[in-house]
Amino acid sequence: MNNRIWILIDKYIDHKIEESERNELKLWINENKRHKDFFITILSLYKKHRQLYFLKEFNYESAWDALYRKLKTRHRKRSLIIYSSVASVLLLIGISLYMFTGKQVSDTEIYLHQGKAQAILALSNGTKIDLQGKNPLSEYSEKDGTTITADSNGLLSYKSNDPLKVDYSLSNTVTVPRGGEYSLVLSDGTKVYMNANSRLEYPIHFSSKRIVKLSGEAYFEVSRDPRKPFIVEASKHFIEVLGTRFNVSAYPEDDFYATLLSGSVKLQTSSETKVLSPNQQAVVKKSNSVIGIQNVDASIYASWVKGSFEFQNASLYAIARQLSRWYDVDIQFQSENLKQIRFGGTILRHRPLSFAIAVIEKVSDVEFSRKGESLIIKSSK
């Protein structure tokens, strides 16, 4: 593919393409099937708003039929794995049909909880404040006079009114329940985005080191300070940084993941220490303290911060875990082998659970059924 096509792609996605250039791009897309398939693959690399704009412009219903037949052929060969390149296309087409025709891709209608911004703030004196209740925190003064505020978007922040009276022994805790998310700015300027079913304990002000304790998942944008390393303690492991962006998934029931977007981090377990570079992910299994390093697209693992679930060759089990925490619903599997079905693509985070279910059902041989307040995933064959 020549540079001219790349230029047209960028201009089209940024809404800066001229009519003549638009026609040139369409001609290239329709030139042969390989070009069309390439464009569909490119879609999976763009963020939500870019994906939807492109899908709205072109009609992929015929592509749906062809790819779905291809998928079914693979199933007749008794392959349980849905290859990520095909599943990505189907997920994206499902999103376009849902968003632009107003129709779901399945008749499944399951109405359960939908995630939203909510959390509980525990102050140094033990007082607990509902950050999403009828009377959410707008301003509060800690023992040393530090002012805690929450803006209209629910962003929590700290500011000292008298640096000479700072009490470094004071700490706060933010707990985000299942079905929730929340964000805050620490006293050093570090931004923290917390995912569902997570807990963060942190000093109101930092002394010689900046140490926070995490259970669950959070994305950090650390304010650089060479004199004070920033340390995240999670699952008995320690991540040390100076100034960087990274995501940590440290749910007690799952393996530990640290994914670096920019800068550099040092991960220390009880048995070894390793340094990560951008687009690398450290994995520590629950059964040991050995650090495994793999190259990844780091933005995928922080996609939840910007309102979408992005997957790349992810197991249905891993997807179900994320949906379970975000929608506050217990998801079970009828058989173990269903957990290994794999997907790639994007599901919009702030859509009803029925949307995610409909898309998954459409691109695979599984179906969801409701049993009380739980969901059961079973084979649809």
Side-chain angles (χ1 to χ4, degrees):
M1 187 177 70
N2 59 44
N3 290 337
R4 172 64 178 171
I5 297 300
W6 279 117
I7 293 172
L8 293 177
I9 292 173
D10 288 336
K11 294 181 73 172
Y12 187 92
I13 291 172
D14 290 333
H15 304 185
K16 296 178 180 179
I17 193 166
E18 301 291 339
E19 187 62 29
S20 60
E21 294 173 325
R22 184 190 300 269
N23 292 333
E24 181 181 350
L25 182 59
K26 286 184 178 180
L27 286 174
W28 187 85
I29 291 173
N30 294 320
E31 192 171 88
N32 60 55
K33 185 177 182 300
R34 186 169 59 87
H35 289 177
K36 288 184 178 180
D37 290 344
F38 177 81
F39 263 88
I40 294 173
T41 302
I42 287 294
L43 292 178
S44 67
L45 303 178
Y46 285 98
K47 300 303 178 184
K48 174 182 62 180
H49 68 283
R50 294 185 173 185
Q51 293 168 339
L52 297 178
Y53 182 88
F54 194 86
L55 285 166
K56 181 180 180 180
E57 183 70 17
F58 294 95
N59 182 3
Y60 285 108
E61 292 190 44
S62 59
W64 169 278
D65 293 334
L67 287 164
Y68 195 69
R69 286 195 299 272
K70 184 177 181 181
L71 180 61
K72 285 297 182 182
T73 299
R74 287 178 174 171
H75 279 304
R76 283 197 291 272
K77 294 178 180 178
R78 301 192 179 195
S79 171
L80 279 174
I81 302 301
I82 298 178
Y83 295 94
S84 61
S85 60
V86 176
S88 297
V89 175
L90 298 177
L91 283 172
L92 290 168
I93 292 173
I95 291 171
S96 69
L97 293 176
Y98 181 92
M99 292 296 290
F100 297 113
T101 68
K103 298 177 182 178
Q104 290 186 332
V105 292
S106 168
D107 292 331
T108 303
E109 291 287 350
I110 300 178
Y111 299 99
L112 295 167
H113 303 289
Q114 184 171 344
K116 60 182 180 180
Q118 56 179 322
I120 299 295
L121 170 66
L123 302 174
S124 61
N125 62 5
T127 299
K128 294 184 178 181
I129 300 174
D130 185 352
L131 298 177
Q132 188 55 34
K134 292 183 179 179
N135 297 299
L137 171 72
S138 57
E139 185 171 304
Y140 191 90
S141 289
E142 263 287 1
K143 293 179 180 179
D144 63 353
T146 297
T147 300
I148 308 171
T149 59
D151 63 20
S152 58
N153 295 317
L155 181 66
L156 200 66
S157 60
Y158 292 77
K159 182 179 180 180
S160 174
N161 295 315
D162 188 347
L164 297 178
K165 296 181 179 180
V166 165
D167 186 344
Y168 295 107
S169 67
L170 302 179
S171 64
N172 282 183
T173 301
V174 170
T175 302
V176 179
R178 282 163 59 100
E181 63 180 6
Y182 209 78
S183 55
L184 62 150
V185 180
L186 303 179
S187 59
D188 67 334
T190 292
K191 296 180 180 178
V192 185
Y193 301 82
M194 298 179 63
N195 209 345
N197 197 25
S198 300
R199 181 178 183 273
L200 185 73
E201 181 181 352
Y202 52 92
I204 294 175
H205 296 285
F206 297 107
S207 54
S208 58
K209 288 186 178 181
R210 299 176 288 172
I211 302 177
V212 301
K213 297 180 180 180
L214 171 69
S215 174
E217 184 171 21
Y219 169 79
F220 295 85
E221 293 184 355
V222 178
S223 178
R224 183 173 179 80
D225 187 346
R227 300 170 301 172
K228 296 182 180 180
F230 190 94
I231 299 172
V232 179
E233 181 180 346
S235 297
K236 298 181 180 180
H237 310 314
F238 298 87
I239 302 172
E240 181 176 335
V241 304
L242 294 177
T244 187
R245 297 183 297 126
F246 62 99
N247 192 80
V248 180
S249 181
Y251 290 103
E253 66 274 17
D254 293 338
D255 295 334
F256 172 93
Y257 296 88
T259 310
L260 182 63
L261 282 82
S262 67
S264 177
V265 302
K266 180 172 68 176
L267 173 62
Q268 179 182 344
T269 68
S270 59
S271 62
E272 61 180 326
T273 300
K274 288 189 177 180
V275 176
L276 294 183
S277 298
N279 286 317
Q280 285 190 329
Q281 181 181 73
V283 183
V284 183
K285 300 294 184 181
K286 290 190 297 180
S287 57
N288 57 52
S289 58
V290 177
I291 303 173
I293 304 292
Q294 56 190 16
N295 296 321
V296 299
D297 179 353
S299 65
I300 290 176
Y301 296 88
S303 61
W304 61 270
V305 175
K306 296 186 177 181
S308 64
F309 293 111
E310 293 188 24
F311 306 109
Q312 188 176 68
N313 196 31
S315 68
L316 185 54
Y317 175 76
I319 294 172
R321 300 287 277 185
Q322 291 200 48
L323 296 179
S324 176
R325 286 189 284 259
W326 178 238
Y327 292 104
D328 189 16
V329 58
D330 181 37
I331 301 178
Q332 303 172 10
F333 288 81
Q334 188 179 60
S335 60
E336 288 294 312
N337 58 357
L338 296 177
K339 295 180 179 180
Q340 301 309 313
I341 298 174
R342 294 190 172 271
F343 293 88
T346 302
I347 294 175
L348 307 186
R349 186 173 165 91
H350 291 286
R351 291 285 168 180
L353 177 58
S354 55
F355 167 62
I357 290 173
V359 172
I360 292 172
E361 286 184 334
K362 190 65 176 180
V363 302
S364 66
D365 284 335
V366 302
E367 62 183 19
F368 291 70
S369 62
R370 184 170 179 174
K371 185 178 181 181
E373 291 300 311
S374 299
L375 295 178
I376 309 297
I377 299 178
K378 56 186 180 181
S379 174
S380 60
K381 291 182 181 179

